[in-house]
């Protein structure tokens, strides 16, 4: 099993917090320009200090290509891609209901080879505030852990698995996707 995806620039917790803050600013900016749109905010769910490199970028862009193929050009209002040391980010503003968009993205999360690695958040404005559509609102189960199939948030909060165990699981996912 290749560990090539473990190579890359390391990031700190402060880097990640700053990136999250800038991501929220970008979401606000895009929805301010396009207030009636649903906004996809795509990132990767990669534990550990390395958030991007050639292998992770390839996996990310493979999923983004799949997402873009779902929508006719007339539905796409704006898009933005950023490659940062904290990971790839992609934003897609669409003339689509947030619920319909989230349903399509859940399908990708659950069926695409790299879907499990993705955080595909759907954000809209509700009473002039950012509002994220959750899986559970649409009667879908929460995301599962890379390792034990329990709810991912519970495993994360309880730190049930080491970063190394999660990285091994991700490495296997990447290898499996590359072999297809």
């Amino acid at each position: 099993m290749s560990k090539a995806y473990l190579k890359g620039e390391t990031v700190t917790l402060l880097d990640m917090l700053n990136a999250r803050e800038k991501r929220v600013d970008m979401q606000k900016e895009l929805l301010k320009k396009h207030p009636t749109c649903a906004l996809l905010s795509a990132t990767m769910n990669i534990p550990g200090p390395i958030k991007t490199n050639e292998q992770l970028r390839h996996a990310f862009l493979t999923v983004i290509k799949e997402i873009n193929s779902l929508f006719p050009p007339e539905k796409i209002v704006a898009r933005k891609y950023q490659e940062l040391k904290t990971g790839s980010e992609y934003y897609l503003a669409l003339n689509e209901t947030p619920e319909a968009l989230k349903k399509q993205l859940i399908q990708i999360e659950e069926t695409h080879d790299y879907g499990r690695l993705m955080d595909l958040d759907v954000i809209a404005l509700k009473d002039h505030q950012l509002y994220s559509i959750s899986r559970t609102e649409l009667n879908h189960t929460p995301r599962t852990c890379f390792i034990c199939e329990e709810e991912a948030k519970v495993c994360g909060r309880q730190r049930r698995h080491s970063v190394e165990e999660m990285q091994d699981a991700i490495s296997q996912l990447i290898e499996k996707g590359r072999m297809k």
Side-chain angles (χ1 to χ4, degrees):
M1 169 177 28
S2 169
K3 297 281 186 162
Y5 92 92
L6 295 174
K7 295 182 173 117
E9 186 176 356
T10 61
V11 297
T12 65
L13 176 59
L14 185 58
D15 291 332
M16 292 306 294
L17 293 173
N18 287 335
R20 185 176 296 157
E21 191 174 307
K22 288 179 182 176
R23 192 174 312 121
V24 169
D25 290 344
M26 177 63 70
Q27 294 164 353
K28 287 178 182 175
E29 178 184 322
L30 285 166
L31 285 170
K32 184 178 179 184
K33 286 181 185 174
H34 311 287
T36 61
C37 288
L39 178 67
L40 161 64
S41 179
T43 57
M44 291 189 90
N45 181 15
I46 306 296
I50 303 206
K51 302 298 183 186
T52 192
N53 60 28
E54 185 179 329
Q55 292 78 18
L56 294 172
R57 196 170 18 263
H58 171 75
F60 184 85
L61 291 173
T62 300
V63 176
I64 296 306
K65 183 178 179 183
E66 178 78 17
I67 290 168
N68 285 332
S69 74
L70 296 175
F71 304 104
E74 60 272 10
K75 282 199 173 228
I76 298 172
V77 176
R79 70 175 97 209
K80 182 172 180 74
Y81 171 73
Q82 298 184 119
E83 185 55 49
L84 308 169
K85 75 176 186 176
T86 52
S88 301
E89 296 182 3
Y90 182 71
Y91 304 92
L92 183 65
L94 292 161
N95 282 322
E96 183 69 84
T97 67
E99 295 79 11
L101 176 57
K102 185 66 177 181
K103 285 178 185 176
Q104 289 177 291
L105 297 174
I106 289 170
Q107 186 69 22
I108 287 175
E109 288 174 343
E110 293 178 350
T111 61
H112 193 282
D113 290 334
Y114 302 128
R116 183 62 195 92
L117 301 176
M118 302 295 292
D119 277 334
L120 302 176
D121 296 329
V122 174
I123 299 154
L125 286 178
K126 188 175 184 180
D127 300 323
H128 306 290
Q129 299 292 318
L130 295 183
Y131 175 72
S132 183
I133 307 297
S134 73
R135 294 169 63 92
T136 55
E137 285 177 67
L138 300 175
N139 297 317
H140 285 268
T141 58
R143 300 286 297 266
T144 58
C145 172
F146 287 122
I147 297 169
C148 70
E149 299 301 315
E150 292 294 326
E151 189 175 331
K153 287 182 181 178
V154 172
C155 281
R157 261 194 311 272
Q158 295 177 355
R159 302 210 186 278
R160 286 186 181 164
H161 313 290
S162 70
V163 171
E164 293 78 20
E165 288 175 298
M166 291 184 285
Q167 289 173 335
D168 283 344
I170 291 168
S171 182
Q172 289 174 21
L173 251 171
I174 289 172
E175 284 296 313
K176 182 179 173 187
R178 286 173 52 188
M179 293 178 142
K180 289 191 174 183

